[in-house]
């Protein structure tokens, strides 16, 4: 057992930290408030090849795995710039294309995604089928030699900055189970028949949420990704990377919060000594640090399991996501508390991250669905839903 | 095409010319220092900086590395070789510079080097650089942890090469280097025959970030570790024993005086101008 990062992982971590530090939380906060994007940061990460570290080298990637991509994601978040689209475009969409795409599809989509020139959104959730993908009602019907897509998708991140959306749609019914047979389609955002409506949310992040209306949207046959009707199984290949990245954003926010809180507790003095010398301040912060490091350890293990096709990859990714979201929220809460009234002040750059940190307890998979998974698969308890 | 120059040793090899392409071989002196963002301490007996644990590439050296990469790119070919000295076998700072694009690295690592002063360091660097005779040696004007700023010129003297310090702009000419040398009043334009030692200021160029491809490529780049026996240097000239300089005591820096606040009563601009003239900014 070796817990040390490789020299390349250490170099990657240092390099990403430097790039992200050149932007920093005040840049992130200002852009998010203005409703502007983080294009310069995204481009800087893409130019250096950091957004494609996990993709095959022949498609412009770095040839490594999720261990490296989670390092990138965590470092950017630890600099105060959590980028939710990192778990969508490189982690879910590019992973699925690399795994199930034809040679043409890989050559078309992966190089621009690896370099950051193209972002791809992911559309699975629907108004009546949140975590239950079997109830997906968006349908792709055969039309000539292509497809026609109709339906509504809900809470789709970043459609306004994406060039394409990977849409999960029903292409039939499984005759044995009666459940939806799902398929994946790559849809250009400017396709006729696609309308995106902004859903206002209380999250100070560059990524906006959208309802996506698909109205008899025509697709050529080359837009089907993978095997028709095999979408449910294929989507699962993208969900573990998504969970790992959700965990990595959370641990990054946790690191940011604890670093700021510890620095403040060392400096701030109102009773003649730094407030960090009071155990009422020090112990909760130390506790939050312990929880965070445990979550980071689980994240490293989960990324290793995924990269090495270990049988426990799914369980590990779920546990890491759960632990990271909890540790991150606790760390941020404690950091705000350590700062007293300043904890809510804009200039201290903590409270505005609350929405993103809190989101990660709900998405990309809710705390409750993870508990269901662990109860059923790790403990052998009856399925509860 | 001229053959690709082999890395080490390359004693006495002359840069080859092929059409318009002239390979330019640059050595960059780099120092691996304790992370300035971390906890730093001085050894209570020697007053030297404690250098145990992980070392990182001195930020001030990243400018020299970038400058070297740009000069070699503009010349159309050549090698950038890093030369570094450390009492332990630390290589992570060198890996950072290799990931930026340097061709190879030489680390002189020997327990006998502990406590070396600037001249001892220059002796070691000179011996390593003589082995491959680069066209140009770049160094930072001073290191971030030591700040003596004397090693590069001592190195030039030991090599018998000219040195140009405080370069804010460097470009190559035929057999020479053209330097804009920062002065208090502006800059001097200096031309200097090669080989030479040039020290570059922070900000002379914008250091690139190591790309992920660069990071992965650094894995297979040559990183030679040499001892002082390999270099044939007399150990008595090196380390604490050979040091001519000794830190006899250390004191805390004086606390900074509070500044003068200029309240504008209609004459603030005059007082600010007078202040700037007093400190010779204007």
């Amino acid at each position: 057992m070796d817990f040390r990062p490789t020299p390349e992982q250490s170099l990657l971590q240092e390099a990403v930290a430097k790039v992200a530090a050149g932007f920093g939380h005040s840049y992130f906060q200002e852009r998010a408030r203005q409703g502007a994007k983080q294009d310069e940061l995204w481009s800087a990460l893409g130019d250096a090849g950091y957004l494609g570290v996990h993709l095959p080298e022949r498609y412009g990637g770095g040839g490594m795995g999720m261990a490296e991509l989670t390092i990138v994601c965590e470092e950017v978040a630890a600099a105060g710039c959590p980028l939710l689209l990192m778990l969508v475009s490189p982690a879910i969409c590019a992973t699925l294309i690399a795994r199930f795409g034809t040679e043409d599809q890989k050559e078309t989509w992966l190089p621009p995604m690896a370099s950051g020139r193209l972002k791809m959104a992911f559309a699975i959730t629907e108004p009546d089928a949140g975590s239950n993908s079997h109830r997906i009602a968006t349908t792709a019907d055969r039309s000539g030699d292509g497809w026609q897509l109709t339906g509504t998708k809900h809470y789709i991140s970043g459609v306004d900055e994406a060039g394409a959306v990977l849409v999960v749609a029903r292409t039939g019914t499984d005759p044995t189970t009666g459940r939806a047979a799902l398929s994946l389609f790559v849809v250009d955002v400017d396709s006729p028949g696609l309308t995106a409506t902004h859903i206002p949310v209380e999250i100070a992040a560059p990524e906006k949420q959208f309802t996506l209306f698909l109205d008899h949207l025509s697709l050529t046959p080359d837009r089907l990704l993978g095997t028709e009707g095999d979408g449910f199984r294929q989507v699962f290949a993208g969900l573990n990377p998504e969970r790992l990245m959700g965990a990595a954003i959370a641990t990054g926010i946790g690191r940011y919060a604890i670093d700021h809180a510890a620095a403040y507790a060392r400096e701030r003095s109102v009773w003649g000594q730094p407030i960090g010398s009071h155990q009422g301040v020090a112990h909760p912060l130390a506790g939050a640090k312990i929880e965070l490091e445990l979550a980071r350890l689980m994240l490293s293990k989960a990324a290793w399991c995924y990269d090495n096709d270990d049988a426990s990859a799914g369980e590990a990714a779920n546990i890491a996501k759960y632990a990271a979201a909890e540790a991150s929220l606790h760390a941020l809460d404690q950091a705000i508390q350590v700062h007293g009234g300043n904890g809510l002040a804009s200039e201290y750059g903590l409270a505005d991250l609350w929405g993103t940190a809190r989101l990660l307890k709900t998405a990309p998979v809710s705390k409750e669905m993870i508990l269901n998974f662990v109860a059923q698969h790790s403990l052998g308890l009856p399925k509860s839903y | 095409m001229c053959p690709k120059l082999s890395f080490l040793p390359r004693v006495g090899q002359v840069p080859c010319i092929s059409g318009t392409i002239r390979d330019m071989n640059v050595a960059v002196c780099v120092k691996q220092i304790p992370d300035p963002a971390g906890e730093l301490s001085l050894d209570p007996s020697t007053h030297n900086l404690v250098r145990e644990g992980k070392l990182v590439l001195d930020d001030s050296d990243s400018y020299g590395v970038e400058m070297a990469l740009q000069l070699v790119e503009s010349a159309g070919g050549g090698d950038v070789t890093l030369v570094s000295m450390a009492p332990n076998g630390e290589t992570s700072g060198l890996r950072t510079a290799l990931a930026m694009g340097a061709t190879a690295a030489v680390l002189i690592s020997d327990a006998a080097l502990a406590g070396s002063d600037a001249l001892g360091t220059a002796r070691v660097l000179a011996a390593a650089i003589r082995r491959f005779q680069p066209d140009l040696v770049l160094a930072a004007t001073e290191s971030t942890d030591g700040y003596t700023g004397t090693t590069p010129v001592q190195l030039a003297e030991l090599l018998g090469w000219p040195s140009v310090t405080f370069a804010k702009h460097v470009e190559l000419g035929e057999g020479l280097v053209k330097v804009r040398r920062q002065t208090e009043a502006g800059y001097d334009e200096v031309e200097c025959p090669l080989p030479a030692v040039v020290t570059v200021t922070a900000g002379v160029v914008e250091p690139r970030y190591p790309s992920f491809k660069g990071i992965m490529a650094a894995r297979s780049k040559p990183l030679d570790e040499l001892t002082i026996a390999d270099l044939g240097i007399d150990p008595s000239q090196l380390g604490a024993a050979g040091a001519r300089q000794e830190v006899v005591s250390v004191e805390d820096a004086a606390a900074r005086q509070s500044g003068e606040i200029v309240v504008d009563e209609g004459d603030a601009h005059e007082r600010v101008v007078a202040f700037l003239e007093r400190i010779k900014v204007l």
Side-chain angles (χ1 to χ4, degrees), chain B residues 61-87:
Chain B
D61 288 329
S62 61
Y63 300 98
V65 174
E66 178 62 40
M67 188 79 249
L69 292 171
Q70 290 187 14
L71 290 175
V72 166
E73 281 159 16
S74 71
D79 290 337
V80 174
T81 305
L82 311 166
V83 184
S84 189
M85 175 183 123

Side-chain angles (χ1 to χ4, degrees), chain B residues 136-158:
Chain B
L136 175 67
V137 176
L138 293 179
T141 54
E142 59 191 358
S143 63
T144 305
D145 63 341
Y147 282 115
T148 65
T150 52
T151 305
V153 284
Q154 290 172 338
L155 167 65
E157 188 63 26
L158 289 166

Side-chain angles (χ1 to χ4, degrees), chain B residues 159-221:
Chain B
L159 290 170
W161 295 358
S163 70
V164 183
T165 52
F166 296 101
K168 54 174 264 167
H169 178 85
V170 182
E171 63 180 85
L172 297 170
E174 194 54 48
L176 53 82
V177 61
K178 299 176 187 173
V179 174
R180 287 187 198 152
R181 184 178 182 276
Q182 183 75 52
T183 65
E184 280 190 13
Y187 62 85
D188 295 334
E189 289 190 348
V190 180
E191 284 190 4
C192 173
L194 293 174
V197 176
V198 173
T199 73
V200 295
T201 56
V204 62
V205 280
E206 181 67 32
R208 67 193 69 184
Y209 299 115
S211 70
F212 192 61
K213 280 195 166 58
I215 289 170
M216 298 308 285
R219 272 197 302 194
S220 52
K221 288 182 174 174

Side-chain angles (χ1 to χ4, degrees), chain B residues 233-246:
Chain B
I233 311 175
D234 176 2
S236 68
Q237 293 186 319
L238 304 173
R244 297 186 182 187
Q245 168 193 309
E246 184 187 355

